[in-house]
Amino acid sequence: MTSTSHSELVESKSSQRTTLAFTLASGRRRAAPVRFGRTTRRDPLLPQRIRNGLLDDEGQQCIQVRLTATDAGNPAARALLDVEAGTALHLHRVLDNTEYAALFPRIIGYELDAAEPFLLYAAPRGIAAVHTHVMSATDQRVLARDLLLALCLLDGQGLVLRGISPATVLWDGASVQLWGLEGAARAGRPRTRWGRAPYCSPEQRRGEGRVDPRDAVWSTAQVLYQLVTGRPGPSDRAPADLGEHRVLAETLRGAFAPLAADRPTPGRLLDRLAPGTARRITLSVPADETHPHRTAFDHALHLKRLAPAPEPHDGSGASPGRSNGEVLCPYCLETIQLDLGSLFVTDSRMQYQPLDVSGIGNPLRREDLMRGAVQKCTADPDFPEHFIPVPYLTHGRPLTVAMIGQSSTGKSHLLTQMIAEITDGGLEPFGLKWQSVNPEQHARFVRERVQPLRNGKVLDHTGALGLDGFARFVESLLITDARGRVRPVAFFDLGGEDLVRTDAALRFLLGVDAMVFVVDPALALPLPYLDHARERWGLEVNRDGDLAFGTVLDRLPKNGPYLDVAAAMVLGKADLLRFQPPVDRWLGEAAPTSLDPALTREESRDVYGLLRHHAGKAWLRPFDAIRRCTLHVASATGGQENNGRYPAGAEPRRVLEPMLSLLAMHGLIEVPGGAEAFAMGELPVGETAPSPEARGTVGEEKR
């Protein structure tokens, strides 16, 4: 959508000279002197601004689409620019060096984490159709063919341009160039209101249903009708005089149906104009390079389903609870139970003082005091002094979760945002409620971690283990499931330097119930557009995988061919990969309100394929070693820091999904098929579990 002709912008006099640093579409970095002309709004209703430019070192004409610093402070405005960049880069990746590339704007480069983010395009080709009054019949057929070609190409990538109008269709007398990429949406996503009548379909205008490729068919039909007749058509039905225009009536038969389901697809319309063209497009688009790796994921799950579950097993993916109120101390790994003679509370100087509740007769006051108290654990007299929150001991078997990864992988930011999402009510759609185990500890966590991060401050790295040499949990919550069962959940966050140690400091891992393995894309993926981040952070690609992963996996007890701790692998800092398939798809998914095992496995398959293709199998060791392991993408901040702050604030994306998966694998969230099927899928008909005599064979086949 544009209010000014692109050609007019290119022809205007350049006046402002500056040097821009940006990432090329190839992923390499470049700095170049640029002269810019005057700035205009591309569309009065949108925040993006546009100005023509000249790359001085090459003399190349270009267009810059940018946000001012004020507009960039609006997450919705940044999201629009991200959509445009992601669509342009996706089309460049798929169509570059094909005959179809000219149908869309050619992106030169981008810089989206700056205070004033921008995109650079090659100069547009042609003028906007809004400046054309009536078009000849010959030109009509060519323009219709090109538009439908563009729609078919987008459809093949699961994309729909929602803003097609005479302002976004450029025509140079011989072919079309289709702009308006900021209006792209993925097919199947819920519709939102976008575009202007009559060019947006009735359903899109109302924001009803789900995005459909046939939404763009309506828009294309309206553009063609206006170019033939010189006037816009009705916004909710076929034009009354459509039959008077033979070419239009034949080509666009059914395209003006009020409901998308009643319109022809882009491919069907294209084949009316040029039979066989839609199939030729499909054959010319490059095949998915990750397909064989995603097939390998399916085979790996097949082997896991065949492997016997370790005994004993309670059906929820968790080890049995303990009797007599005993729980496992998360520090010394000895059993402990409530002892009213060993209670303490902290004073104003944060020093432990004994608490005697024996003389308190008021049950409400007694319960309140107990909730803020801790108990000294004396189960192992040789272990360093440690204290356990009392609610941790009074609500059944605790669930311990450990964050695993090298230093600077973003574990602390991810964990902070994960807990913040929980305390913001993120578990409520799944029938779960939360309460702090220790109110004082929780308030300190919010004050020192959550609030600074949400305000855009970069958190300090996780501190190393103290002189006493053992890990402490950074936060603990009481989670109540849909049946009213309460489980304490404790989160451990160790520094990466401690996770590669092999001494007794990591003994606590033997009692951990669930793990989140955080993959740093800068360490794992040798993609060129991550080179800039690696240079900033002083990192190099490590083809041997995360050292912390290997150390932890080697310390866990093994019972059978697989480890049985529940695990989630998270491709963190996913904002760095937000334009890389399949990350671009999953980061754009809305927060779920229910857990769909099939969708979780689809995301796992995609992430597995990406890592196996680009990073290698060493980075997938947790998935290969652990029986129940899902894979996810997440970004704790939504962007990269600049001078210790996040310019647009820290906007988490998909940070809760790994925790939801772990809770499902431990039976706190009920899912179709049960916890086992959620992690690995149902055993297909005809596929049987091995007999005891054959169990060793499964492990050998895996190895």
Side-chain angles (χ1 to χ4, degrees):
M1 293 181 283
T2 177
S3 58
T4 306
S5 164
H6 287 279
S7 60
E8 291 172 359
L9 290 168
V10 171
E11 292 166 3
S12 66
K13 297 292 184 181
S14 297
S15 58
Q16 180 182 346
R17 184 185 177 105
T18 187
T19 298
L20 287 184
F22 53 91
T23 301
L24 296 168
S26 65
R28 303 295 179 186
R29 292 289 292 180
R30 177 184 175 188
V34 187
R35 285 184 293 162
F36 284 121
R38 64 187 179 88
T39 298
T40 65
R41 281 195 180 274
R42 185 161 55 171
D43 185 299
L45 300 181
L46 296 178
Q48 300 99 313
R49 298 168 191 253
I50 187 169
R51 56 184 177 177
N52 70 301
L54 189 68
L55 291 174
D56 281 352
D57 55 356
E58 293 183 358
Q60 180 183 9
Q61 289 184 330
C62 63
I63 289 288
Q64 185 191 49
V65 178
R66 68 186 181 97
L67 295 176
T68 65
T70 300
D71 287 331
N74 181 349
R78 276 190 177 261
L80 272 183
L81 201 63
D82 262 21
V83 167
E84 181 171 356
T87 307
L89 289 167
H90 185 97
L91 293 172
H92 173 84
R93 189 182 304 114
V94 173
L95 301 179
D96 193 34
N97 298 322
T98 72
E99 60 183 296
Y100 307 116
L103 289 170
F104 302 98
R106 185 172 72 83
I107 187 168
I108 297 173
Y110 59 94
E111 180 56 70
L112 296 175
D113 290 320
E116 293 192 355
F118 64 86
L119 312 177
L120 283 181
Y121 289 107
R125 180 175 48 77
I127 62 172
V130 71
H131 300 294
T132 300
H133 297 295
V134 177
M135 184 174 281
S136 69
T138 301
D139 286 349
Q140 290 169 26
R141 294 189 68 88
V142 176
L143 185 139
R145 181 205 63 198
D146 281 3
L147 274 179
L148 293 171
L149 271 172
L151 264 57
C152 283
L153 289 163
L154 290 163
D155 188 15
Q157 301 303 310
L159 297 171
V160 179
L161 276 194
R162 300 175 298 160
I164 297 173
S165 75
T168 64
V169 176
L170 273 61
W171 172 252
D172 65 0
S175 60
V176 160
Q177 191 174 62
L178 185 57
W179 286 67
L181 302 186
E182 73 280 356
R186 288 196 173 273
R189 294 263 175 88
R191 282 193 185 97
T192 57
R193 295 181 180 180
W194 183 271
R196 296 184 176 91
Y199 309 107
C200 63
S201 70
E203 295 156 300
Q204 185 176 299
R205 189 168 64 251
R206 296 190 298 266
E208 298 174 350
R210 295 188 175 272
V211 175
D212 190 296
R214 292 167 290 189
D215 295 340
V217 166
W218 170 282
S219 303
T220 296
Q222 289 285 359
V223 170
L224 291 171
Y225 178 80
Q226 179 160 329
L227 290 174
V228 169
T229 65
R231 61 181 180 275
S235 62
D236 57 355
R237 63 189 182 279
D241 62 345
L242 184 61
E244 299 175 14
H245 308 280
R246 185 176 59 84
V247 174
L248 269 186
E250 292 176 359
T251 304
L252 302 179
R253 189 168 62 253
F256 291 99
L259 297 178
D262 297 329
R263 297 176 210 133
T265 63
R268 185 176 175 188
L269 280 183
L270 178 60
D271 280 340
R272 288 181 190 171
L273 272 176
T277 304
R279 174 174 170 76
R280 184 165 60 88
I281 289 175
T282 303
L283 296 176
S284 65
V285 173
D288 179 10
E289 294 178 335
T290 66
H291 177 73
H293 304 290
R294 291 187 287 114
T295 301
F297 170 86
D298 294 332
H299 180 64
L301 280 192
H302 168 81
L303 294 179
K304 290 183 180 186
R305 288 193 295 267
L306 291 181
E311 300 291 343
H313 194 263
D314 68 354
S316 67
S319 57
R322 301 181 184 275
S323 60
N324 303 321
E326 291 183 336
V327 301
L328 192 71
C329 172
Y331 301 134
C332 67
L333 300 184
E334 299 293 340
T335 56
I336 182 176
Q337 60 186 154
L338 182 65
D339 179 2
L340 298 181
S342 300
L343 303 187
F344 294 80
V345 290
T346 53
D347 60 19
S348 59
R349 295 176 298 172
M350 301 304 294
Q351 300 297 311
Y352 287 117
Q353 301 296 336
L355 173 66
D356 182 6
V357 296
S358 61
I360 302 176
N362 186 324
L364 291 178
R365 182 165 177 264
R366 178 188 174 106
E367 182 179 344
D368 186 59
L369 282 173
M370 295 270 285
R371 187 180 171 212
V374 296
Q375 176 174 316
K376 185 176 181 179
C377 177
T378 58
D380 184 349
D382 296 327
F383 200 80
E385 184 178 65
H386 54 291
F387 298 83
I388 312 296
V390 168
Y392 194 86
L393 305 173
T394 57
H395 289 88
R397 192 178 66 80
L399 174 65
T400 52
V401 181
M403 306 294 290
I404 309 297
Q406 289 180 217
S407 296
S408 303
T409 56
K411 301 189 306 296
S412 297
H413 290 79
L414 178 62
L415 177 59
T416 299
Q417 295 285 39
M418 191 183 293
I419 295 173
E421 291 276 302
I422 291 174
T423 58
D424 277 350
L427 297 181
E428 290 179 4
F430 306 90
L432 273 60
K433 298 179 180 179
W434 74 276
Q435 188 179 24
S436 63
V437 167
N438 184 296
E440 184 178 330
Q441 179 193 53
H442 177 70
R444 185 165 62 250
F445 182 84
V446 171
R447 184 173 62 251
E448 297 177 358
R449 302 269 298 262
V450 174
Q451 290 176 349
L453 181 56
R454 286 186 164 179
N455 290 332
K457 181 182 177 182
V458 177
L459 299 180
D460 294 332
H461 293 308
T462 303
L465 294 177
L467 296 177
D468 52 18
F470 69 93
R472 290 181 170 85
F473 51 74
V474 296
E475 175 64 305
S476 51
L477 304 172
L478 295 176
I479 303 295
T480 304
D481 68 13
R483 296 184 181 182
R485 299 172 298 186
V486 181
R487 291 279 298 274
V489 181
F491 299 91
F492 287 85
D493 183 19
L494 272 71
E497 62 274 17
D498 293 312
L499 288 171
V500 298
R501 290 163 57 176
T502 56
D503 57 20
L506 294 185
R507 184 171 63 166
F508 89 100
L509 288 171
L510 302 178
V512 166
D513 301 292
M515 295 185 176
V516 179
F517 293 87
V518 183
V519 176
D520 186 339
L523 287 172
L525 300 171
L527 298 170
Y529 58 82
L530 295 177
D531 289 344
H532 182 55
R534 280 187 277 268
E535 183 180 341
R536 287 178 57 201
W537 298 330
L539 300 176
E540 293 182 354
V541 174
N542 186 352
R543 300 292 295 183
D544 297 321
D546 191 315
L547 296 177
F549 291 4
T551 302
V552 168
L553 292 170
D554 289 342
R555 292 295 299 272
L556 294 175
K558 195 170 186 179
N559 182 12
Y562 297 98
L563 300 169
D564 200 47
V565 62
M569 287 188 68
V570 181
L571 183 58
K573 301 179 183 176
D575 51 278
L576 288 170
L577 303 166
R578 60 190 184 272
F579 306 129
Q580 170 73 37
V583 177
D584 55 351
R585 172 199 169 178
W586 293 105
L587 270 188
E589 289 285 341
T593 56
S594 62
L595 274 186
D596 182 347
L599 203 60
T600 300
R601 283 193 296 279
E602 189 175 348
E603 181 179 8
S604 294
R605 183 185 296 111
D606 281 348
V607 178
Y608 181 96
L610 176 69
L611 291 175
R612 194 171 187 268
H613 177 56
H614 292 290
K617 284 183 65 63
W619 281 94
L620 288 163
R621 189 178 171 193
F623 176 84
D624 291 334
I626 296 172
R627 195 171 62 89
R628 295 171 296 128
C629 181
T630 55
L631 297 92
H632 310 263
V633 299
S635 172
T637 59
Q640 296 304 298
E641 60 94 8
N642 185 13
N643 295 321
R645 296 196 63 82
Y646 298 99
E651 292 289 333
R653 300 172 75 175
R654 293 186 67 79
V655 296
L656 192 56
E657 279 73 1
M659 190 63 203
L660 294 173
S661 181
L662 295 177
L663 293 175
M665 283 188 268
H666 274 275
L668 275 78
I669 299 177
E670 295 185 5
V671 287
E676 293 294 295
F678 174 79
M680 295 176 290
E682 300 277 5
L683 198 68
V685 176
E687 186 177 282
T688 59
S691 65
E693 295 77 13
R695 286 180 179 179
T697 307
V698 175
E700 291 301 323
E701 182 183 355
K702 172 186 173 291
R703 288 191 290 270

